[in-house]
Amino acid sequence: MKLIESLLQSLKKLSKKNIFEMATLKLDGPQPKTKDATVYLFRGLMIVGYLPPKTNLVPFYIWTIFINAFITIYMPIGFLLSFLTRSSSFTPSEFLTSLQISVNCFGCSLKMFVFLFLYRRLLSTIKYMDQLDLRVSEPEDKLQIRKIVAFCNRSNVMFTGLFLSYASSTFLTSVINGKPPYQVFNPFMEWSDRTLFFCIQAAVEYFMIDIHCYQQALLDSYPVIYITIIRTHLHILTRRIRKLGQDSKLSSDERYEALVQCVLDHKNIMAIYNYFSPVISGTMFVQFLIIGLILGITTIHIVLFADILAIFASMLYVASILAETFPCSFLANSLMDDSDNISLAIFHSDWPSEEPRFKQMIAFFLHHTQKTLILTAMKIFPITMNSNINVVKFAFSVYTLMKQMDFGQNLKDSVTGEKLP
């Protein structure tokens, strides 16, 4: 009873709030903080059972065990068992739909396990964000913080909406055709025996894939959020550096102190980067590893077997898969440029006419900003647009290889015994 009462109280509190409030840009009202850009991300980590709340810990841990045992662990196993036990009943289109989802499901579960050991590093960045906020005083800088808070939370909502749209379209397509969406192995009942079992199987699979998609949305949105935060504070710091020495009303001591504060701000930005980069390194390595194979399978599905509804669902899936790497790769490229621009801003600041200690600090600062901020996947290859393009090229190579091996004809022969026209 206490569990039900606590859930009802939480729902009442939630109903009184605008859940998309943080995803809306507001030019008035209280000034948001940088850490507000992570609000939806950390709420999501609570939903998937990673980040415990301050209260109701027992219901939370029950939910954590249930959701991760049922989705993160069993779902990939259920797909594998489904292939082993029901492969003869699949049509080629159903087989490829389940195959592309199962590959991504294995990848998502692997990323979730990697993220489980690293996500607390993201929590450690909050104190550095608060330190950076102490220096945000100019109206232009405050506006930038408002924009990124709305953008980052909106990104989380958009990733979630994109992935759930694919789950819903696949669910509707399969139910219209009279079969569960993915035919995940169910040891308790056979969905084809009774209509009630079919409805239960379809509902359970829809719930599973929705949670899976939400896990995926969190894993794909957090790089966008953190890279955006780092880039924004680099922009603010770069503008501040360019103004060094331009205010004649400041004394030499005040200008030196302003430079020291810039050095400390850069140190805080680098702390956020150093905490964040190992997290993205592990999850993006897994993502790049599987995306080429998934896109190759999806291409085979669209070209050879899919009907109109399945093509629409697969195109949403392709958009979802590309959205997992493209925004992150684009922003990682931009981060490299931003980190180089700060060195140029220091060099071109008005330092020649300053006193010796100011020049010494400038030399120290310039030395420590020479490092380009490059995000890598397990230190094997950089996360850049070029890497993203190479993965897409690999997907077409997979498709070409499968086509040359007459994969479509062999699949249809083995599954249905029919010949492709």
Side-chain angles (χ1 to χ4, degrees), residues 224 227 284 288 291 322-337 373-376 381-394:
V224 173
I227 296 175
M284 287 302 292
F288 276 116
I291 187 174
L322 293 178
E324 292 184 41
T325 56
F326 177 79
C328 177
S329 300
F330 175 79
L331 291 173
N333 259 112
S334 301
L335 178 62
M336 295 167 59
D337 296 334
L373 301 186
I374 302 176
L375 296 171
T376 62
F381 56 87
I383 301 172
T384 61
M385 285 298 297
N386 189 50
S387 300
N388 196 68
I389 292 171
N390 287 336
V391 168
V392 176
K393 289 180 179 178
F394 174 72

PDB file of all heavy atoms in Angstrom, residues 224 227 284 288 291 322-337 373-376 381-394:
ATOM      1  N   VAL A 224      25.702  15.010 -26.684  1.00  0.00           N
ATOM      2  CA  VAL A 224      25.275  16.303 -27.225  1.00  0.00           C
ATOM      3  C   VAL A 224      25.196  17.339 -26.113  1.00  0.00           C
ATOM      4  O   VAL A 224      25.661  18.484 -26.264  1.00  0.00           O
ATOM      5  CB  VAL A 224      23.912  16.166 -27.941  1.00  0.00           C
ATOM      6  CG1 VAL A 224      23.377  17.527 -28.359  1.00  0.00           C
ATOM      7  CG2 VAL A 224      24.035  15.247 -29.149  1.00  0.00           C
ATOM      8  N   ILE A 227      28.927  18.131 -24.674  1.00  0.00           N
ATOM      9  CA  ILE A 227      29.762  18.865 -25.637  1.00  0.00           C
ATOM     10  C   ILE A 227      29.242  20.283 -25.795  1.00  0.00           C
ATOM     11  O   ILE A 227      30.021  21.244 -25.890  1.00  0.00           O
ATOM     12  CB  ILE A 227      29.795  18.136 -26.991  1.00  0.00           C
ATOM     13  CG1 ILE A 227      30.452  16.769 -26.856  1.00  0.00           C
ATOM     14  CG2 ILE A 227      30.563  18.961 -28.027  1.00  0.00           C
ATOM     15  CD1 ILE A 227      30.415  15.929 -28.119  1.00  0.00           C
ATOM     16  N   MET A 284      30.607   5.435 -27.333  1.00  0.00           N
ATOM     17  CA  MET A 284      30.659   5.690 -28.769  1.00  0.00           C
ATOM     18  C   MET A 284      31.468   4.626 -29.508  1.00  0.00           C
ATOM     19  O   MET A 284      31.211   4.358 -30.682  1.00  0.00           O
ATOM     20  CB  MET A 284      31.243   7.075 -29.034  1.00  0.00           C
ATOM     21  CG  MET A 284      30.306   8.217 -28.695  1.00  0.00           C
ATOM     22  SD  MET A 284      28.731   8.164 -29.586  1.00  0.00           S
ATOM     23  CE  MET A 284      29.281   8.493 -31.262  1.00  0.00           C
ATOM     24  N   PHE A 288      29.861   2.951 -32.791  1.00  0.00           N
ATOM     25  CA  PHE A 288      30.513   2.903 -34.101  1.00  0.00           C
ATOM     26  C   PHE A 288      30.754   1.463 -34.536  1.00  0.00           C
ATOM     27  O   PHE A 288      30.770   1.156 -35.739  1.00  0.00           O
ATOM     28  CB  PHE A 288      31.840   3.661 -34.069  1.00  0.00           C
ATOM     29  CG  PHE A 288      31.706   5.145 -34.281  1.00  0.00           C
ATOM     30  CD1 PHE A 288      32.049   6.035 -33.281  1.00  0.00           C
ATOM     31  CD2 PHE A 288      31.238   5.650 -35.487  1.00  0.00           C
ATOM     32  CE1 PHE A 288      31.926   7.406 -33.477  1.00  0.00           C
ATOM     33  CE2 PHE A 288      31.108   7.011 -35.688  1.00  0.00           C
ATOM     34  CZ  PHE A 288      31.453   7.899 -34.689  1.00  0.00           C
ATOM     35  N   ILE A 291      27.073   0.196 -35.840  1.00  0.00           N
ATOM     36  CA  ILE A 291      26.190   0.966 -36.711  1.00  0.00           C
ATOM     37  C   ILE A 291      26.313   0.551 -38.171  1.00  0.00           C
ATOM     38  O   ILE A 291      25.327   0.497 -38.901  1.00  0.00           O
ATOM     39  CB  ILE A 291      26.450   2.483 -36.541  1.00  0.00           C
ATOM     40  CG1 ILE A 291      25.399   3.280 -37.324  1.00  0.00           C
ATOM     41  CG2 ILE A 291      27.858   2.857 -36.980  1.00  0.00           C
ATOM     42  CD1 ILE A 291      25.494   4.775 -37.087  1.00  0.00           C
ATOM     43  N   LEU A 322      21.292   7.017 -37.563  1.00  0.00           N
ATOM     44  CA  LEU A 322      22.189   8.107 -37.940  1.00  0.00           C
ATOM     45  C   LEU A 322      22.211   9.202 -36.876  1.00  0.00           C
ATOM     46  O   LEU A 322      23.241   9.850 -36.658  1.00  0.00           O
ATOM     47  CB  LEU A 322      21.764   8.686 -39.294  1.00  0.00           C
ATOM     48  CG  LEU A 322      21.925   7.750 -40.495  1.00  0.00           C
ATOM     49  CD1 LEU A 322      21.420   8.431 -41.769  1.00  0.00           C
ATOM     50  CD2 LEU A 322      23.388   7.340 -40.673  1.00  0.00           C
ATOM     51  N   ALA A 323      21.072   9.400 -36.220  1.00  0.00           N
ATOM     52  CA  ALA A 323      20.999  10.416 -35.156  1.00  0.00           C
ATOM     53  C   ALA A 323      21.835  10.016 -33.947  1.00  0.00           C
ATOM     54  O   ALA A 323      22.166  10.868 -33.118  1.00  0.00           O
ATOM     55  CB  ALA A 323      19.544  10.625 -34.732  1.00  0.00           C
ATOM     56  N   GLU A 324      22.186   8.735 -33.845  1.00  0.00           N
ATOM     57  CA  GLU A 324      22.988   8.288 -32.716  1.00  0.00           C
ATOM     58  C   GLU A 324      24.433   8.749 -32.827  1.00  0.00           C
ATOM     59  O   GLU A 324      25.130   8.841 -31.811  1.00  0.00           O
ATOM     60  CB  GLU A 324      22.937   6.762 -32.611  1.00  0.00           C
ATOM     61  CG  GLU A 324      21.564   6.223 -32.220  1.00  0.00           C
ATOM     62  CD  GLU A 324      21.568   4.727 -32.040  1.00  0.00           C
ATOM     63  OE1 GLU A 324      22.553   4.219 -31.468  1.00  0.00           O
ATOM     64  OE2 GLU A 324      20.615   4.055 -32.464  1.00  0.00           O
ATOM     65  N   THR A 325      24.922   9.019 -34.030  1.00  0.00           N
ATOM     66  CA  THR A 325      26.329   9.386 -34.192  1.00  0.00           C
ATOM     67  C   THR A 325      26.532  10.751 -34.854  1.00  0.00           C
ATOM     68  O   THR A 325      27.509  11.426 -34.555  1.00  0.00           O
ATOM     69  CB  THR A 325      27.064   8.324 -35.036  1.00  0.00           C
ATOM     70  OG1 THR A 325      26.389   8.170 -36.298  1.00  0.00           O
ATOM     71  CG2 THR A 325      27.098   6.990 -34.314  1.00  0.00           C
ATOM     72  N   PHE A 326      25.622  11.155 -35.749  1.00  0.00           N
ATOM     73  CA  PHE A 326      25.868  12.378 -36.514  1.00  0.00           C
ATOM     74  C   PHE A 326      25.951  13.629 -35.636  1.00  0.00           C
ATOM     75  O   PHE A 326      26.925  14.389 -35.745  1.00  0.00           O
ATOM     76  CB  PHE A 326      24.795  12.552 -37.593  1.00  0.00           C
ATOM     77  CG  PHE A 326      24.940  13.835 -38.371  1.00  0.00           C
ATOM     78  CD1 PHE A 326      25.880  13.943 -39.384  1.00  0.00           C
ATOM     79  CD2 PHE A 326      24.165  14.942 -38.069  1.00  0.00           C
ATOM     80  CE1 PHE A 326      26.032  15.120 -40.094  1.00  0.00           C
ATOM     81  CE2 PHE A 326      24.309  16.129 -38.760  1.00  0.00           C
ATOM     82  CZ  PHE A 326      25.249  16.218 -39.786  1.00  0.00           C
ATOM     83  N   PRO A 327      24.963  13.918 -34.751  1.00  0.00           N
ATOM     84  CA  PRO A 327      25.069  15.141 -33.938  1.00  0.00           C
ATOM     85  C   PRO A 327      26.320  15.159 -33.078  1.00  0.00           C
ATOM     86  O   PRO A 327      26.993  16.193 -32.952  1.00  0.00           O
ATOM     87  CB  PRO A 327      23.794  15.115 -33.088  1.00  0.00           C
ATOM     88  CG  PRO A 327      22.852  14.237 -33.826  1.00  0.00           C
ATOM     89  CD  PRO A 327      23.708  13.197 -34.473  1.00  0.00           C
ATOM     90  N   CYS A 328      26.637  14.006 -32.476  1.00  0.00           N
ATOM     91  CA  CYS A 328      27.820  13.931 -31.630  1.00  0.00           C
ATOM     92  C   CYS A 328      29.088  14.169 -32.444  1.00  0.00           C
ATOM     93  O   CYS A 328      29.990  14.896 -32.009  1.00  0.00           O
ATOM     94  CB  CYS A 328      27.873  12.570 -30.940  1.00  0.00           C
ATOM     95  SG  CYS A 328      29.333  12.319 -29.925  1.00  0.00           S
ATOM     96  N   SER A 329      29.176  13.581 -33.631  1.00  0.00           N
ATOM     97  CA  SER A 329      30.358  13.755 -34.475  1.00  0.00           C
ATOM     98  C   SER A 329      30.506  15.205 -34.928  1.00  0.00           C
ATOM     99  O   SER A 329      31.617  15.760 -34.934  1.00  0.00           O
ATOM    100  CB  SER A 329      30.258  12.832 -35.697  1.00  0.00           C
ATOM    101  OG  SER A 329      30.172  11.481 -35.316  1.00  0.00           O
ATOM    102  N   PHE A 330      29.393  15.822 -35.290  1.00  0.00           N
ATOM    103  CA  PHE A 330      29.427  17.222 -35.721  1.00  0.00           C
ATOM    104  C   PHE A 330      29.893  18.126 -34.586  1.00  0.00           C
ATOM    105  O   PHE A 330      30.751  19.004 -34.771  1.00  0.00           O
ATOM    106  CB  PHE A 330      28.039  17.645 -36.206  1.00  0.00           C
ATOM    107  CG  PHE A 330      27.940  19.102 -36.571  1.00  0.00           C
ATOM    108  CD1 PHE A 330      28.418  19.564 -37.783  1.00  0.00           C
ATOM    109  CD2 PHE A 330      27.378  20.011 -35.682  1.00  0.00           C
ATOM    110  CE1 PHE A 330      28.341  20.916 -38.115  1.00  0.00           C
ATOM    111  CE2 PHE A 330      27.290  21.356 -35.997  1.00  0.00           C
ATOM    112  CZ  PHE A 330      27.770  21.811 -37.219  1.00  0.00           C
ATOM    113  N   LEU A 331      29.329  17.935 -33.400  1.00  0.00           N
ATOM    114  CA  LEU A 331      29.696  18.773 -32.262  1.00  0.00           C
ATOM    115  C   LEU A 331      31.131  18.507 -31.817  1.00  0.00           C
ATOM    116  O   LEU A 331      31.824  19.430 -31.353  1.00  0.00           O
ATOM    117  CB  LEU A 331      28.732  18.530 -31.101  1.00  0.00           C
ATOM    118  CG  LEU A 331      27.301  19.039 -31.312  1.00  0.00           C
ATOM    119  CD1 LEU A 331      26.401  18.584 -30.169  1.00  0.00           C
ATOM    120  CD2 LEU A 331      27.280  20.556 -31.423  1.00  0.00           C
ATOM    121  N   ALA A 332      31.593  17.256 -31.927  1.00  0.00           N
ATOM    122  CA  ALA A 332      32.980  16.947 -31.574  1.00  0.00           C
ATOM    123  C   ALA A 332      33.945  17.668 -32.509  1.00  0.00           C
ATOM    124  O   ALA A 332      35.001  18.162 -32.079  1.00  0.00           O
ATOM    125  CB  ALA A 332      33.206  15.437 -31.627  1.00  0.00           C
ATOM    126  N   ASN A 333      33.606  17.746 -33.801  1.00  0.00           N
ATOM    127  CA  ASN A 333      34.404  18.526 -34.745  1.00  0.00           C
ATOM    128  C   ASN A 333      34.432  20.003 -34.361  1.00  0.00           C
ATOM    129  O   ASN A 333      35.488  20.659 -34.385  1.00  0.00           O
ATOM    130  CB  ASN A 333      33.846  18.385 -36.156  1.00  0.00           C
ATOM    131  CG  ASN A 333      34.620  17.402 -37.000  1.00  0.00           C
ATOM    132  OD1 ASN A 333      34.108  16.350 -37.344  1.00  0.00           O
ATOM    133  ND2 ASN A 333      35.864  17.719 -37.330  1.00  0.00           N
ATOM    134  N   SER A 334      33.277  20.529 -34.001  1.00  0.00           N
ATOM    135  CA  SER A 334      33.175  21.937 -33.612  1.00  0.00           C
ATOM    136  C   SER A 334      33.959  22.215 -32.331  1.00  0.00           C
ATOM    137  O   SER A 334      34.557  23.281 -32.173  1.00  0.00           O
ATOM    138  CB  SER A 334      31.704  22.330 -33.419  1.00  0.00           C
ATOM    139  OG  SER A 334      30.960  22.118 -34.604  1.00  0.00           O
ATOM    140  N   LEU A 335      33.963  21.247 -31.419  1.00  0.00           N
ATOM    141  CA  LEU A 335      34.721  21.406 -30.175  1.00  0.00           C
ATOM    142  C   LEU A 335      36.216  21.537 -30.463  1.00  0.00           C
ATOM    143  O   LEU A 335      36.917  22.337 -29.806  1.00  0.00           O
ATOM    144  CB  LEU A 335      34.463  20.210 -29.260  1.00  0.00           C
ATOM    145  CG  LEU A 335      35.215  20.193 -27.924  1.00  0.00           C
ATOM    146  CD1 LEU A 335      34.824  21.395 -27.070  1.00  0.00           C
ATOM    147  CD2 LEU A 335      34.949  18.886 -27.178  1.00  0.00           C
ATOM    148  N   MET A 336      36.710  20.793 -31.429  1.00  0.00           N
ATOM    149  CA  MET A 336      38.113  20.907 -31.809  1.00  0.00           C
ATOM    150  C   MET A 336      38.432  22.321 -32.294  1.00  0.00           C
ATOM    151  O   MET A 336      39.456  22.912 -31.917  1.00  0.00           O
ATOM    152  CB  MET A 336      38.432  19.873 -32.893  1.00  0.00           C
ATOM    153  CG  MET A 336      38.326  18.431 -32.438  1.00  0.00           C
ATOM    154  SD  MET A 336      38.332  17.225 -33.791  1.00  0.00           S
ATOM    155  CE  MET A 336      39.905  17.591 -34.560  1.00  0.00           C
ATOM    156  N   ASP A 337      37.552  22.872 -33.109  1.00  0.00           N
ATOM    157  CA  ASP A 337      37.766  24.239 -33.610  1.00  0.00           C
ATOM    158  C   ASP A 337      37.697  25.260 -32.475  1.00  0.00           C
ATOM    159  O   ASP A 337      38.507  26.194 -32.417  1.00  0.00           O
ATOM    160  CB  ASP A 337      36.725  24.575 -34.678  1.00  0.00           C
ATOM    161  CG  ASP A 337      36.845  23.697 -35.912  1.00  0.00           C
ATOM    162  OD1 ASP A 337      37.957  23.198 -36.171  1.00  0.00           O
ATOM    163  OD2 ASP A 337      35.834  23.514 -36.608  1.00  0.00           O
ATOM    164  N   LEU A 373      41.081  19.815 -28.057  1.00  0.00           N
ATOM    165  CA  LEU A 373      40.180  18.905 -27.340  1.00  0.00           C
ATOM    166  C   LEU A 373      39.562  17.920 -28.334  1.00  0.00           C
ATOM    167  O   LEU A 373      38.585  18.228 -29.020  1.00  0.00           O
ATOM    168  CB  LEU A 373      39.096  19.697 -26.614  1.00  0.00           C
ATOM    169  CG  LEU A 373      39.596  20.722 -25.586  1.00  0.00           C
ATOM    170  CD1 LEU A 373      38.419  21.334 -24.839  1.00  0.00           C
ATOM    171  CD2 LEU A 373      40.562  20.085 -24.606  1.00  0.00           C
ATOM    172  N   ILE A 374      40.150  16.743 -28.397  1.00  0.00           N
ATOM    173  CA  ILE A 374      39.705  15.696 -29.322  1.00  0.00           C
ATOM    174  C   ILE A 374      39.041  14.590 -28.521  1.00  0.00           C
ATOM    175  O   ILE A 374      39.627  14.062 -27.574  1.00  0.00           O
ATOM    176  CB  ILE A 374      40.880  15.128 -30.133  1.00  0.00           C
ATOM    177  CG1 ILE A 374      41.582  16.235 -30.926  1.00  0.00           C
ATOM    178  CG2 ILE A 374      40.400  14.023 -31.069  1.00  0.00           C
ATOM    179  CD1 ILE A 374      42.818  15.764 -31.668  1.00  0.00           C
ATOM    180  N   LEU A 375      37.837  14.234 -28.902  1.00  0.00           N
ATOM    181  CA  LEU A 375      37.136  13.112 -28.291  1.00  0.00           C
ATOM    182  C   LEU A 375      37.410  11.864 -29.126  1.00  0.00           C
ATOM    183  O   LEU A 375      37.317  11.895 -30.362  1.00  0.00           O
ATOM    184  CB  LEU A 375      35.635  13.386 -28.219  1.00  0.00           C
ATOM    185  CG  LEU A 375      35.228  14.564 -27.336  1.00  0.00           C
ATOM    186  CD1 LEU A 375      33.744  14.881 -27.524  1.00  0.00           C
ATOM    187  CD2 LEU A 375      35.523  14.286 -25.872  1.00  0.00           C
ATOM    188  N   THR A 376      37.758  10.784 -28.468  1.00  0.00           N
ATOM    189  CA  THR A 376      38.113   9.559 -29.179  1.00  0.00           C
ATOM    190  C   THR A 376      37.243   8.402 -28.712  1.00  0.00           C
ATOM    191  O   THR A 376      36.663   8.439 -27.624  1.00  0.00           O
ATOM    192  CB  THR A 376      39.593   9.195 -28.955  1.00  0.00           C
ATOM    193  OG1 THR A 376      39.816   8.946 -27.562  1.00  0.00           O
ATOM    194  CG2 THR A 376      40.503  10.324 -29.417  1.00  0.00           C
ATOM    195  N   PHE A 381      40.210   5.711 -32.543  1.00  0.00           N
ATOM    196  CA  PHE A 381      39.982   6.656 -33.636  1.00  0.00           C
ATOM    197  C   PHE A 381      39.202   7.842 -33.092  1.00  0.00           C
ATOM    198  O   PHE A 381      38.446   7.712 -32.112  1.00  0.00           O
ATOM    199  CB  PHE A 381      39.237   5.997 -34.804  1.00  0.00           C
ATOM    200  CG  PHE A 381      37.929   5.359 -34.419  1.00  0.00           C
ATOM    201  CD1 PHE A 381      36.749   6.084 -34.394  1.00  0.00           C
ATOM    202  CD2 PHE A 381      37.879   4.016 -34.078  1.00  0.00           C
ATOM    203  CE1 PHE A 381      35.549   5.498 -34.045  1.00  0.00           C
ATOM    204  CE2 PHE A 381      36.679   3.409 -33.718  1.00  0.00           C
ATOM    205  CZ  PHE A 381      35.511   4.161 -33.711  1.00  0.00           C
ATOM    206  N   PRO A 382      39.372   9.021 -33.694  1.00  0.00           N
ATOM    207  CA  PRO A 382      38.679  10.216 -33.202  1.00  0.00           C
ATOM    208  C   PRO A 382      37.202  10.197 -33.572  1.00  0.00           C
ATOM    209  O   PRO A 382      36.799   9.623 -34.585  1.00  0.00           O
ATOM    210  CB  PRO A 382      39.410  11.365 -33.906  1.00  0.00           C
ATOM    211  CG  PRO A 382      39.925  10.756 -35.163  1.00  0.00           C
ATOM    212  CD  PRO A 382      40.276   9.334 -34.812  1.00  0.00           C
ATOM    213  N   ILE A 383      36.400  10.817 -32.732  1.00  0.00           N
ATOM    214  CA  ILE A 383      34.972  10.975 -33.012  1.00  0.00           C
ATOM    215  C   ILE A 383      34.824  12.256 -33.826  1.00  0.00           C
ATOM    216  O   ILE A 383      34.804  13.364 -33.287  1.00  0.00           O
ATOM    217  CB  ILE A 383      34.151  11.053 -31.715  1.00  0.00           C
ATOM    218  CG1 ILE A 383      34.362   9.791 -30.883  1.00  0.00           C
ATOM    219  CG2 ILE A 383      32.662  11.231 -32.036  1.00  0.00           C
ATOM    220  CD1 ILE A 383      33.742   9.844 -29.503  1.00  0.00           C
ATOM    221  N   THR A 384      34.732  12.103 -35.124  1.00  0.00           N
ATOM    222  CA  THR A 384      34.635  13.242 -36.026  1.00  0.00           C
ATOM    223  C   THR A 384      33.636  12.934 -37.130  1.00  0.00           C
ATOM    224  O   THR A 384      33.176  11.793 -37.271  1.00  0.00           O
ATOM    225  CB  THR A 384      36.006  13.560 -36.663  1.00  0.00           C
ATOM    226  OG1 THR A 384      36.439  12.415 -37.430  1.00  0.00           O
ATOM    227  CG2 THR A 384      37.057  13.870 -35.607  1.00  0.00           C
ATOM    228  N   MET A 385      33.345  13.957 -37.936  1.00  0.00           N
ATOM    229  CA  MET A 385      32.455  13.742 -39.069  1.00  0.00           C
ATOM    230  C   MET A 385      33.054  12.759 -40.060  1.00  0.00           C
ATOM    231  O   MET A 385      32.334  11.975 -40.684  1.00  0.00           O
ATOM    232  CB  MET A 385      32.167  15.083 -39.753  1.00  0.00           C
ATOM    233  CG  MET A 385      31.200  15.977 -39.011  1.00  0.00           C
ATOM    234  SD  MET A 385      29.569  15.220 -38.837  1.00  0.00           S
ATOM    235  CE  MET A 385      29.084  15.088 -40.555  1.00  0.00           C
ATOM    236  N   ASN A 386      34.357  12.780 -40.197  1.00  0.00           N
ATOM    237  CA  ASN A 386      35.011  11.859 -41.115  1.00  0.00           C
ATOM    238  C   ASN A 386      34.815  10.411 -40.673  1.00  0.00           C
ATOM    239  O   ASN A 386      34.549   9.524 -41.497  1.00  0.00           O
ATOM    240  CB  ASN A 386      36.504  12.184 -41.208  1.00  0.00           C
ATOM    241  CG  ASN A 386      37.205  11.402 -42.305  1.00  0.00           C
ATOM    242  OD1 ASN A 386      36.746  11.368 -43.446  1.00  0.00           O
ATOM    243  ND2 ASN A 386      38.316  10.772 -41.964  1.00  0.00           N
ATOM    244  N   SER A 387      34.908  10.174 -39.365  1.00  0.00           N
ATOM    245  CA  SER A 387      34.667   8.826 -38.843  1.00  0.00           C
ATOM    246  C   SER A 387      33.224   8.409 -39.082  1.00  0.00           C
ATOM    247  O   SER A 387      32.937   7.258 -39.419  1.00  0.00           O
ATOM    248  CB  SER A 387      34.993   8.780 -37.350  1.00  0.00           C
ATOM    249  OG  SER A 387      36.337   9.109 -37.109  1.00  0.00           O
ATOM    250  N   ASN A 388      32.304   9.361 -38.910  1.00  0.00           N
ATOM    251  CA  ASN A 388      30.889   9.068 -39.125  1.00  0.00           C
ATOM    252  C   ASN A 388      30.622   8.706 -40.584  1.00  0.00           C
ATOM    253  O   ASN A 388      29.873   7.771 -40.884  1.00  0.00           O
ATOM    254  CB  ASN A 388      30.059  10.290 -38.722  1.00  0.00           C
ATOM    255  CG  ASN A 388      28.590   9.969 -38.549  1.00  0.00           C
ATOM    256  OD1 ASN A 388      28.200   9.258 -37.647  1.00  0.00           O
ATOM    257  ND2 ASN A 388      27.761  10.499 -39.436  1.00  0.00           N
ATOM    258  N   ILE A 389      31.235   9.445 -41.493  1.00  0.00           N
ATOM    259  CA  ILE A 389      31.068   9.166 -42.923  1.00  0.00           C
ATOM    260  C   ILE A 389      31.658   7.804 -43.277  1.00  0.00           C
ATOM    261  O   ILE A 389      31.088   7.046 -44.074  1.00  0.00           O
ATOM    262  CB  ILE A 389      31.713  10.288 -43.758  1.00  0.00           C
ATOM    263  CG1 ILE A 389      30.929  11.588 -43.575  1.00  0.00           C
ATOM    264  CG2 ILE A 389      31.767   9.914 -45.237  1.00  0.00           C
ATOM    265  CD1 ILE A 389      31.599  12.808 -44.180  1.00  0.00           C
ATOM    266  N   ASN A 390      32.800   7.471 -42.690  1.00  0.00           N
ATOM    267  CA  ASN A 390      33.429   6.175 -42.957  1.00  0.00           C
ATOM    268  C   ASN A 390      32.552   5.020 -42.486  1.00  0.00           C
ATOM    269  O   ASN A 390      32.511   3.965 -43.121  1.00  0.00           O
ATOM    270  CB  ASN A 390      34.798   6.108 -42.269  1.00  0.00           C
ATOM    271  CG  ASN A 390      35.832   6.975 -42.955  1.00  0.00           C
ATOM    272  OD1 ASN A 390      35.713   7.272 -44.148  1.00  0.00           O
ATOM    273  ND2 ASN A 390      36.838   7.403 -42.217  1.00  0.00           N
ATOM    274  N   VAL A 391      31.846   5.217 -41.381  1.00  0.00           N
ATOM    275  CA  VAL A 391      30.940   4.173 -40.894  1.00  0.00           C
ATOM    276  C   VAL A 391      29.787   3.969 -41.870  1.00  0.00           C
ATOM    277  O   VAL A 391      29.386   2.831 -42.149  1.00  0.00           O
ATOM    278  CB  VAL A 391      30.412   4.539 -39.493  1.00  0.00           C
ATOM    279  CG1 VAL A 391      29.260   3.627 -39.105  1.00  0.00           C
ATOM    280  CG2 VAL A 391      31.519   4.436 -38.464  1.00  0.00           C
ATOM    281  N   VAL A 392      29.246   5.071 -42.407  1.00  0.00           N
ATOM    282  CA  VAL A 392      28.167   4.962 -43.396  1.00  0.00           C
ATOM    283  C   VAL A 392      28.685   4.261 -44.651  1.00  0.00           C
ATOM    284  O   VAL A 392      27.987   3.421 -45.249  1.00  0.00           O
ATOM    285  CB  VAL A 392      27.598   6.350 -43.729  1.00  0.00           C
ATOM    286  CG1 VAL A 392      26.553   6.247 -44.830  1.00  0.00           C
ATOM    287  CG2 VAL A 392      26.975   6.989 -42.480  1.00  0.00           C
ATOM    288  N   LYS A 393      29.915   4.577 -45.058  1.00  0.00           N
ATOM    289  CA  LYS A 393      30.514   3.886 -46.207  1.00  0.00           C
ATOM    290  C   LYS A 393      30.634   2.386 -45.928  1.00  0.00           C
ATOM    291  O   LYS A 393      30.401   1.555 -46.810  1.00  0.00           O
ATOM    292  CB  LYS A 393      31.893   4.473 -46.510  1.00  0.00           C
ATOM    293  CG  LYS A 393      31.872   5.868 -47.112  1.00  0.00           C
ATOM    294  CD  LYS A 393      33.292   6.342 -47.379  1.00  0.00           C
ATOM    295  CE  LYS A 393      33.293   7.734 -48.003  1.00  0.00           C
ATOM    296  NZ  LYS A 393      34.678   8.238 -48.229  1.00  0.00           N
ATOM    297  N   PHE A 394      30.998   2.067 -44.691  1.00  0.00           N
ATOM    298  CA  PHE A 394      31.108   0.657 -44.325  1.00  0.00           C
ATOM    299  C   PHE A 394      29.757  -0.044 -44.442  1.00  0.00           C
ATOM    300  O   PHE A 394      29.684  -1.212 -44.836  1.00  0.00           O
ATOM    301  CB  PHE A 394      31.653   0.536 -42.899  1.00  0.00           C
ATOM    302  CG  PHE A 394      31.672  -0.872 -42.373  1.00  0.00           C
ATOM    303  CD1 PHE A 394      32.582  -1.798 -42.838  1.00  0.00           C
ATOM    304  CD2 PHE A 394      30.756  -1.277 -41.403  1.00  0.00           C
ATOM    305  CE1 PHE A 394      32.597  -3.095 -42.354  1.00  0.00           C
ATOM    306  CE2 PHE A 394      30.760  -2.566 -40.909  1.00  0.00           C
ATOM    307  CZ  PHE A 394      31.689  -3.480 -41.390  1.00  0.00           C
TER     308      PHE A 394
END
